[in-house]
Amino acid sequence: VKSEGPKLVPFFKATCVYFVLWLPTSSPSWFSALIKCLPIFCLWVFLLAHGINFLVSHRSASRILAGLIFSAVGDAFLIWQEQGYFVHGLLMFAITHILYSSAFGMKPLDLKAGLLMGLVCSSCYAFLYSYLSGPFTYLVAVYIALIGFMGWRAVAGMQLCNDLWTWTKLSACIGAMLFMVSDLTIALNKFCFPVPYSRFIIMATYYAAQMLIALSAVESRDEEDFRKRS
């Protein structure tokens, strides 16, 4: 963790810039899009700092980088969501969750965690359903299924019962949960009722989630270093 911390300093600075400037969402611009996306750009740099060879040779890391790229595009679309680009942002983040799920992998399967995540996601959609209309009725259902699947794969990787967890797997798990909290807050605020301090909750959990998921990408490097020391 100490070795990775310094590489995240630009991310923390960019996140502080976003919250200090706190540009109004009522007047979207390319500058506000840049400020919003800047922390994600810094996470690109964080992964690239581990070397191109590392990203090429470790598929999970390269897929997380690809997910961060689609996330930045989604963030930019959501700046103009009131101008009709909300669905575009939704699509970009749907692709992000597919990439993250692929990065986390399908082993171990952990069907119990999958069942629990399915119940949580079904309950959330059941609550949102009465507030949805038109294409959002099925678009939100597909999106919840994708983010729920991503959350399942992150939780399954923990293997707490077998005492096989690592700090990077814990990072992925917490990151996935925070991502779900962020997106649920967006859904509640957009479709159901105004959520107090919604923007702060959404962005704080979102940036934390992306940072933790990016940190989980260094797992394969840790395992490689451990084998060399052994």
Side-chain angles (χ1 to χ4, degrees), residues 153-172:
R153 298 322 310 149
V155 172
M158 279 289 293
Q159 301 185 74
L160 283 174
C161 296
N162 298 326
D163 198 26
L164 295 174
W165 67 278
T166 62
W167 72 268
T168 48
K169 290 178 180 177
L170 178 63
S171 177

Side-chain angles (χ1 to χ4, degrees), residues 183-204:
D183 282 357
L184 178 60
T185 306
I186 291 175
L188 292 174
N189 192 66
K190 183 173 182 64
F191 299 114
C192 303
F193 48 77
V195 176
Y197 308 106
S198 59
R199 184 181 172 192
F200 177 80
I201 295 170
I202 290 165
M203 297 311 299

Side-chain angles (χ1 to χ4, degrees), residues 64-143:
I64 287 176
L65 175 60
L68 288 168
I69 293 172
F70 278 99
S71 293
V73 177
D75 283 331
F77 275 130
L78 292 182
I79 287 288
W80 286 277
Q81 61 177 296
E82 298 302 327
Q83 285 71 37
Y85 288 95
F86 180 79
V87 174
H88 299 72
L90 198 69
L91 175 61
M92 293 299 101
F93 280 107
I95 295 172
T96 294
H97 297 317
I98 293 172
L99 288 166
Y100 286 169
S101 300
S102 178
F104 298 148
M106 291 301 297
K107 294 180 180 179
L109 194 60
D110 197 347
L111 293 176
K112 290 182 180 178
L115 178 60
L116 178 60
M117 193 61 66
L119 289 172
V120 170
C121 291
S122 297
S123 299
C124 290
Y125 182 69
F127 178 82
L128 293 170
Y129 181 77
S130 60
Y131 295 94
L132 302 174
S133 60
F136 284 114
T137 303
Y138 59 86
L139 287 176
V140 170
V142 172
Y143 187 85

